[in-house]
Amino acid sequence: MSADPRIIDVTLDERTILWRSADIEQERRIAIFDLLEENHFAPQRPQADGYAGPYKLHLAVQEGRLALEIKRADDSHQETLVLGLAAFRRPIRDYFAICDSYYAAIRNATPAQIETVDMARRGIHNDAASLLKERLEGKIDVDFDTARRLFTLICVLHIKG
C-alpha cells in the first residue's frame, strides 16, 4: 500500500455556522477547491495496517475547540484530533476585520489602497497558517498552503452572523 498523504474531501460542521455573506461563501468555496486541488496532509500516528492516505476531513468547533475528524477514503473513522482554539482567537478576529476592510476597499478604493489592505490580509493569513502548522506539529504534517486553506475554513466555522 503506497502512501497518499492528502485530503480528498473536506466538510464543515454546518450547525456551527449561522450565516455567511456572499463574500465569505466565496472564500469557503475557493479554499475548499484549492485545498482539494493541491494539499499535503499526513497524520503522524502510525496505523496498524499501514494506511497513509488519502483522507476525508470534517471540521467542527465543539466547546471552543477545533475538532478535526479524519476518515479514510472508505469513510471509516481513523482519528479525531482536538485542538484548543485560544491561540487562534486573535488571528481569527484580525482576519475578519481585515477581510471586512478588504471587501469594502474592493467596492470603492483605489487600486493602491486595495493592494495595501490585501497585503495586510495576506500577512495575517500567513501568520495564522504558521501558527496552525506549529500547533499540528507531531500530530499532522501539513505544508504551508494546506495550513493557509485550513485556517480560512476554521474562520468560516467562527462566523456567528
mmCIF file of all heavy atoms in Angstrom, residues 40 122 125-131 133 142-150:
data_model
loop_
_atom_site.group_PDB
_atom_site.id
_atom_site.type_symbol
_atom_site.label_atom_id
_atom_site.label_comp_id
_atom_site.label_asym_id
_atom_site.label_seq_id
_atom_site.Cartn_x
_atom_site.Cartn_y
_atom_site.Cartn_z
ATOM 1 N N HIS A 40 -1.034 18.775 1.210
ATOM 2 C CA HIS A 40 -0.234 17.735 1.862
ATOM 3 C C HIS A 40 -0.777 17.618 3.269
ATOM 4 O O HIS A 40 -0.780 18.582 4.032
ATOM 5 C CB HIS A 40 1.254 18.091 1.891
ATOM 6 C CG HIS A 40 2.062 17.072 2.643
ATOM 7 N ND1 HIS A 40 2.418 15.859 2.083
ATOM 8 C CD2 HIS A 40 2.523 17.058 3.917
ATOM 9 C CE1 HIS A 40 3.089 15.162 2.998
ATOM 10 N NE2 HIS A 40 3.160 15.862 4.108
ATOM 11 N N ARG A 122 -2.997 39.251 3.686
ATOM 12 C CA ARG A 122 -2.104 38.104 3.445
ATOM 13 C C ARG A 122 -1.163 37.884 4.622
ATOM 14 O O ARG A 122 -0.883 36.749 4.995
ATOM 15 C CB ARG A 122 -1.316 38.301 2.156
ATOM 16 C CG ARG A 122 -2.089 37.869 0.918
ATOM 17 C CD ARG A 122 -1.167 37.618 -0.275
ATOM 18 N NE ARG A 122 -0.350 38.775 -0.589
ATOM 19 C CZ ARG A 122 -0.682 39.739 -1.435
ATOM 20 N NH1 ARG A 122 -1.836 39.679 -2.058
ATOM 21 N NH2 ARG A 122 0.127 40.748 -1.656
ATOM 22 N N HIS A 125 -3.043 36.242 7.403
ATOM 23 C CA HIS A 125 -3.342 34.877 6.970
ATOM 24 C C HIS A 125 -2.090 33.996 7.075
ATOM 25 O O HIS A 125 -2.148 32.863 7.562
ATOM 26 C CB HIS A 125 -3.857 34.925 5.535
ATOM 27 C CG HIS A 125 -4.734 33.784 5.159
ATOM 28 N ND1 HIS A 125 -5.529 33.818 4.053
ATOM 29 C CD2 HIS A 125 -4.942 32.570 5.710
ATOM 30 C CE1 HIS A 125 -6.191 32.677 3.951
ATOM 31 N NE2 HIS A 125 -5.842 31.900 4.946
ATOM 32 N N ASN A 126 -0.945 34.520 6.626
ATOM 33 C CA ASN A 126 0.311 33.756 6.681
ATOM 34 C C ASN A 126 0.731 33.475 8.119
ATOM 35 O O ASN A 126 1.171 32.363 8.438
ATOM 36 C CB ASN A 126 1.425 34.493 5.941
ATOM 37 C CG ASN A 126 1.218 34.481 4.437
ATOM 38 O OD1 ASN A 126 0.423 33.708 3.899
ATOM 39 N ND2 ASN A 126 1.921 35.361 3.744
ATOM 40 N N ASP A 127 0.603 34.483 9.000
ATOM 41 C CA ASP A 127 0.952 34.284 10.414
ATOM 42 C C ASP A 127 0.065 33.210 11.040
ATOM 43 O O ASP A 127 0.542 32.356 11.799
ATOM 44 C CB ASP A 127 0.801 35.592 11.200
ATOM 45 C CG ASP A 127 1.854 36.633 10.818
ATOM 46 O OD1 ASP A 127 2.829 36.279 10.110
ATOM 47 O OD2 ASP A 127 1.692 37.806 11.222
ATOM 48 N N ALA A 128 -1.224 33.253 10.723
ATOM 49 C CA ALA A 128 -2.156 32.260 11.269
ATOM 50 C C ALA A 128 -1.850 30.866 10.723
ATOM 51 O O ALA A 128 -1.933 29.877 11.459
ATOM 52 C CB ALA A 128 -3.597 32.662 10.945
ATOM 53 N N ALA A 129 -1.472 30.768 9.455
ATOM 54 C CA ALA A 129 -1.101 29.475 8.863
ATOM 55 C C ALA A 129 0.134 28.911 9.563
ATOM 56 O O ALA A 129 0.197 27.714 9.852
ATOM 57 C CB ALA A 129 -0.860 29.623 7.361
ATOM 58 N N SER A 130 1.107 29.769 9.851
ATOM 59 C CA SER A 130 2.308 29.324 10.566
ATOM 60 C C SER A 130 1.951 28.823 11.957
ATOM 61 O O SER A 130 2.477 27.795 12.416
ATOM 62 C CB SER A 130 3.323 30.466 10.680
ATOM 63 O OG SER A 130 3.786 30.832 9.401
ATOM 64 N N LEU A 131 1.054 29.530 12.637
ATOM 65 C CA LEU A 131 0.597 29.112 13.961
ATOM 66 C C LEU A 131 -0.096 27.746 13.881
ATOM 67 O O LEU A 131 0.164 26.865 14.710
ATOM 68 C CB LEU A 131 -0.357 30.163 14.542
ATOM 69 C CG LEU A 131 -1.012 29.832 15.883
ATOM 70 C CD1 LEU A 131 0.041 29.706 16.992
ATOM 71 C CD2 LEU A 131 -2.044 30.910 16.246
ATOM 72 N N LYS A 133 0.317 25.382 11.574
ATOM 73 C CA LYS A 133 1.356 24.373 11.298
ATOM 74 C C LYS A 133 2.070 23.981 12.592
ATOM 75 O O LYS A 133 2.299 22.803 12.854
ATOM 76 C CB LYS A 133 2.390 24.932 10.306
ATOM 77 C CG LYS A 133 2.218 24.465 8.883
ATOM 78 C CD LYS A 133 3.299 25.006 7.969
ATOM 79 C CE LYS A 133 4.614 24.282 8.044
ATOM 80 N NZ LYS A 133 4.642 22.941 7.503
ATOM 81 N N VAL A 142 1.472 19.084 7.623
ATOM 82 C CA VAL A 142 0.823 19.804 6.522
ATOM 83 C C VAL A 142 1.828 20.789 5.945
ATOM 84 O O VAL A 142 2.737 21.235 6.641
ATOM 85 C CB VAL A 142 -0.439 20.591 6.982
ATOM 86 C CG1 VAL A 142 -1.533 19.662 7.458
ATOM 87 C CG2 VAL A 142 -0.108 21.630 8.046
ATOM 88 N N ASP A 143 1.665 21.108 4.655
ATOM 89 C CA ASP A 143 2.511 22.143 4.073
ATOM 90 C C ASP A 143 1.863 23.510 4.342
ATOM 91 O O ASP A 143 0.746 23.602 4.860
ATOM 92 C CB ASP A 143 2.769 21.893 2.591
ATOM 93 C CG ASP A 143 1.510 21.917 1.730
ATOM 94 O OD1 ASP A 143 0.444 22.377 2.185
ATOM 95 O OD2 ASP A 143 1.595 21.471 0.578
ATOM 96 N N PHE A 144 2.584 24.560 4.005
ATOM 97 C CA PHE A 144 2.127 25.912 4.315
ATOM 98 C C PHE A 144 0.803 26.258 3.624
ATOM 99 O O PHE A 144 -0.111 26.800 4.259
ATOM 100 C CB PHE A 144 3.211 26.936 3.941
ATOM 101 C CG PHE A 144 2.882 28.330 4.376
ATOM 102 C CD1 PHE A 144 2.953 28.689 5.719
ATOM 103 C CD2 PHE A 144 2.500 29.276 3.449
ATOM 104 C CE1 PHE A 144 2.633 29.979 6.127
ATOM 105 C CE2 PHE A 144 2.187 30.566 3.852
ATOM 106 C CZ PHE A 144 2.255 30.919 5.185
ATOM 107 N N ASP A 145 0.684 25.932 2.329
ATOM 108 C CA ASP A 145 -0.551 26.263 1.601
ATOM 109 C C ASP A 145 -1.751 25.512 2.172
ATOM 110 O O ASP A 145 -2.852 26.060 2.249
ATOM 111 C CB ASP A 145 -0.403 25.968 0.103
ATOM 112 C CG ASP A 145 0.511 26.981 -0.593
ATOM 113 O OD1 ASP A 145 0.693 28.096 -0.061
ATOM 114 O OD2 ASP A 145 1.048 26.644 -1.660
ATOM 115 N N THR A 146 -1.544 24.272 2.575
ATOM 116 C CA THR A 146 -2.624 23.500 3.198
ATOM 117 C C THR A 146 -3.037 24.174 4.505
ATOM 118 O O THR A 146 -4.236 24.323 4.785
ATOM 119 C CB THR A 146 -2.187 22.042 3.430
ATOM 120 O OG1 THR A 146 -1.865 21.448 2.162
ATOM 121 C CG2 THR A 146 -3.290 21.227 4.101
ATOM 122 N N ALA A 147 -2.067 24.592 5.306
ATOM 123 C CA ALA A 147 -2.368 25.280 6.571
ATOM 124 C C ALA A 147 -3.142 26.575 6.320
ATOM 125 O O ALA A 147 -4.086 26.891 7.048
ATOM 126 C CB ALA A 147 -1.073 25.569 7.337
ATOM 127 N N ARG A 148 -2.778 27.334 5.268
ATOM 128 C CA ARG A 148 -3.488 28.577 4.945
ATOM 129 C C ARG A 148 -4.954 28.289 4.629
ATOM 130 O O ARG A 148 -5.847 28.981 5.106
ATOM 131 C CB ARG A 148 -2.863 29.263 3.713
ATOM 132 C CG ARG A 148 -1.683 30.128 4.008
ATOM 133 C CD ARG A 148 -1.185 30.852 2.741
ATOM 134 N NE ARG A 148 -1.476 32.259 2.905
ATOM 135 C CZ ARG A 148 -2.389 32.942 2.226
ATOM 136 N NH1 ARG A 148 -3.079 32.372 1.287
ATOM 137 N NH2 ARG A 148 -2.594 34.210 2.459
ATOM 138 N N ARG A 149 -5.181 27.287 3.806
ATOM 139 C CA ARG A 149 -6.564 26.972 3.392
ATOM 140 C C ARG A 149 -7.369 26.432 4.569
ATOM 141 O O ARG A 149 -8.553 26.749 4.702
ATOM 142 C CB ARG A 149 -6.537 26.006 2.218
ATOM 143 C CG ARG A 149 -5.975 26.695 0.985
ATOM 144 C CD ARG A 149 -5.556 25.750 -0.116
ATOM 145 N NE ARG A 149 -4.925 26.507 -1.185
ATOM 146 C CZ ARG A 149 -3.915 26.062 -1.899
ATOM 147 N NH1 ARG A 149 -3.411 24.859 -1.667
ATOM 148 N NH2 ARG A 149 -3.388 26.802 -2.849
ATOM 149 N N LEU A 150 -6.722 25.632 5.407
ATOM 150 C CA LEU A 150 -7.417 25.138 6.603
ATOM 151 C C LEU A 150 -7.767 26.291 7.540
ATOM 152 O O LEU A 150 -8.849 26.307 8.130
ATOM 153 C CB LEU A 150 -6.579 24.082 7.331
ATOM 154 C CG LEU A 150 -6.470 22.724 6.634
ATOM 155 C CD1 LEU A 150 -5.477 21.830 7.357
ATOM 156 C CD2 LEU A 150 -7.839 22.046 6.529
#
